[in-house]
Amino acid sequence: MPKIAPPQPWRDALGTRVRELRAERQWSQETLAERADVHTTYVSGIERGRRNVSIDILHRLAVAFGVEIRDLF
Amino acid sequence: MPKIAPPQPWRDALGTRVRELRAERQWSQETLAERADVHTTYVSGIERGRRNVSIDILHRLAVAFGVEIRDLF
């Protein structure tokens, strides 16, 4: 039986927010990945709520979007 | 020559904010560690800007303080 991870709504909320900010700028996941210096698959994982994102990555996302870290939440 | 890490002001800002929220509640680092289910040395590391804190830990800190994750920034 595969272990089912408990729901982590805070990760889902971050994913939704990142997708929102990305869509506002009409960026592809590749464009965001390039600007934030992360792998494209990592952006996809963040947006699907699958990543336990660190504050260093949150900082790079915020800089890429031109917002404050708190604006990612 | 020891490698000197580049400044990471976003980690320092989080550390300052966590210390502020903890002091407002007159909690020791041990009390916060217990409430957030992290090791006391980890709380100390966060407050000194030495930890690349993950969103799961940010969530636990926010729940312990009774605030939203965005209030940690």
Side-chain angles (χ1 to χ4, degrees), chain B residues 5-57:
Chain B
Q8 293 157 314
W10 58 91
R11 290 192 191 188
D12 299 332
L14 176 66
T16 303
R17 183 67 180 133
V18 167
R19 179 172 289 144
E20 206 175 76
L21 288 164
R22 181 168 65 77
E24 279 170 19
R25 290 154 180 77
Q26 296 172 334
W27 291 351
S28 64
Q29 288 184 338
E30 289 72 22
T31 301
L32 174 57
E34 232 169 77
R35 289 171 180 252
D37 191 23
V38 295
H39 200 276
T40 303
T41 55
Y42 196 77
V43 169
S44 164
I46 291 171
E47 291 190 355
R48 287 178 294 122
R50 297 275 166 71
R51 293 283 175 250
N52 187 17
V53 187
S54 74
I55 187 170
D56 287 0
I57 299 290

Side-chain angles (χ1 to χ4, degrees), chain A residues 9-44:
Chain A
W10 57 91
R11 291 192 190 187
D12 299 332
L14 175 66
T16 303
R17 183 68 179 129
V18 167
R19 180 172 287 144
E20 202 176 80
L21 288 164
R22 180 169 66 76
E24 278 170 19
R25 291 155 179 76
Q26 296 171 337
W27 291 351
S28 65
Q29 287 184 337
E30 288 72 22
T31 300
L32 174 57
E34 230 169 77
R35 288 172 180 250
D37 191 23
V38 295
H39 200 275
T40 303
T41 55
Y42 196 78
V43 169
S44 164

Side-chain angles (χ1 to χ4, degrees), chain A residues 8 10-11 14 51-59 69-73, chain B residues 8 10-11 14 51-59 69-73:
Chain A
Q8 294 158 313
W10 57 91
R11 291 192 190 187
L14 175 66
R51 292 285 175 250
N52 187 18
V53 186
S54 75
I55 188 171
D56 288 359
I57 299 291
L58 290 174
H59 168 72
I69 290 181
R70 67 179 287 118
D71 298 319
L72 297 177
F73 295 97
Chain B
Q8 293 157 314
W10 58 91
R11 290 192 191 188
L14 176 66
R51 293 283 175 250
N52 187 17
V53 187
S54 74
I55 187 170
D56 287 0
I57 299 290
L58 290 174
H59 167 72
I69 290 181
R70 67 180 285 119
D71 298 321
L72 298 175
F73 297 98

